[in-house]
């Protein structure tokens, strides 16, 4: 059944963890024409820890990424220690005197969030792109006389061509809105 397929797909598909550290400053201290810069750790132990910094707007804000094992480890580390580590890295890149303390910060902890339990899907060993299609399949109640689906699934984990992305999540929502509209209003085209 579709329901059992969904359950088995969830056990074979992968679910990753990517955390972010958002640092807000009073002024831009990096070259504003550069929107992305990286940091390579000297140790494989801290690989994935604050390895990429994004400047996503004209505001004095940097977003640092934490991936892999480092993303799981930081879930139990206090914000102050994580921000302190980010500041050490930024000061090593730009110079101690150049980098001010952030006026605000935010640290994500997606694995520890009881409503998320992670941050993105991926095709794990033993799974395939078909698993995304299985998770996207609507479900009809077992005893429904009409046989029409009542439960629809959207999200980046349900779209084979754009998994693990915000635009994939948005496109899957539009796909499901179309399915629901077709079911209740009828398709605006001949099938």
């Amino acid at each position: 059944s579709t329901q059992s397929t969904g359950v088995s797909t969830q056990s074979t598909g992968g679910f990753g963890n990517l955390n972010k550290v958002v640092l807000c400053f009073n002024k831009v201290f990096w070259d504003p024409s550069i929107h992305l810069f990286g940091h390579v750790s000297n140790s494989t132990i801290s690989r994935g820890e604050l390895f990429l910094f994004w400047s996503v707007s004209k505001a004095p804000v940097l977003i640092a990424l934490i991936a892999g094992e480092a993303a799981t480890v930081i879930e139990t580390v206090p914000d102050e220690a994580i921000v302190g580590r980010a500041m050490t890295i930024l000061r090593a890149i730009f110079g101690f005197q150049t980098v001010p303390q952030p006026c605000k910060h935010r640290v994500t902890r997606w694995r520890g969030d009881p409503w998320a339990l992670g941050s993105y899907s991926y095709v794990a060993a033993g799974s395939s792109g078909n698993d995304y299609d299985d998770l996207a399949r609507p479900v009809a109640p077992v005893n429904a006389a009409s046989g029409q689906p009542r439960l629809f699934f959207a999200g980046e984990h349900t779209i084979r061509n754009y998994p693990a992305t915000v635009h994939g999540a948005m496109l899957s929502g539009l796909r499901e809105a179309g399915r629901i509209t077709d079911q209740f209003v009828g398709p605006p085209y001949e099938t």
Side-chain angles (χ1 to χ4, degrees):
S1 81
T2 303
Q3 290 173 321
S4 63
T5 301
V7 171
S8 66
T9 300
Q10 289 181 4
S11 64
T12 60
F15 197 46
N17 193 20
L18 178 75
N19 281 308
K20 297 177 183 174
V21 179
V22 180
L23 302 167
C24 304
F25 299 93
N26 289 323
K27 64 177 184 166
V28 172
F29 58 85
W30 58 92
D31 180 345
S33 69
I34 297 175
H35 302 288
L36 188 71
F37 57 90
H39 162 74
V40 179
S41 175
N42 293 330
S43 167
T44 56
I45 294 171
S46 58
R47 181 180 300 151
E49 177 190 81
L50 304 161
F51 67 96
L52 190 64
F53 290 83
W54 277 339
S55 170
V56 295
S57 71
K58 293 182 180 181
V61 176
L62 290 175
I63 300 173
L65 301 183
I66 305 173
E69 289 180 35
T72 301
V73 169
I74 68 108
E75 299 245 349
T76 60
V77 175
D79 282 8
E80 294 72 24
I82 298 165
V83 170
R85 178 73 179 126
M87 297 310 297
T88 299
I89 292 168
L90 289 171
R91 288 177 175 142
I93 295 170
F94 294 103
F96 190 85
Q97 300 298 329
T98 306
V99 182
Q101 275 298 112
C103 54
K104 293 181 187 176
H105 69 272
R106 175 79 176 202
V107 179
T108 65
R109 290 178 173 82
W110 290 112
R111 179 83 65 213
D113 183 321
W115 301 107
L117 302 176
S119 52
Y120 65 93
S121 64
Y122 63 91
V123 180
S127 63
S128 75
N130 292 334
D131 293 336
Y132 289 100
D133 299 336
D134 290 342
L135 284 170
R137 193 167 291 117
V139 177
V142 176
N143 297 329
S146 71
Q148 292 292 326
R150 291 222 187 127
L151 186 58
F152 298 84
F153 300 97
E156 58 81 24
H157 63 290
T158 70
I159 189 158
R160 175 194 288 243
N161 293 332
Y162 305 101
T165 64
V166 172
H167 62 279
M170 186 189 82
L171 289 171
S172 72
L174 293 172
R175 177 195 64 216
E176 296 311 306
R179 284 182 180 172
I180 293 166
T181 301
D182 286 352
Q183 181 174 316
F184 291 103
V185 177
Y189 48 84
E190 292 294 322
T191 56

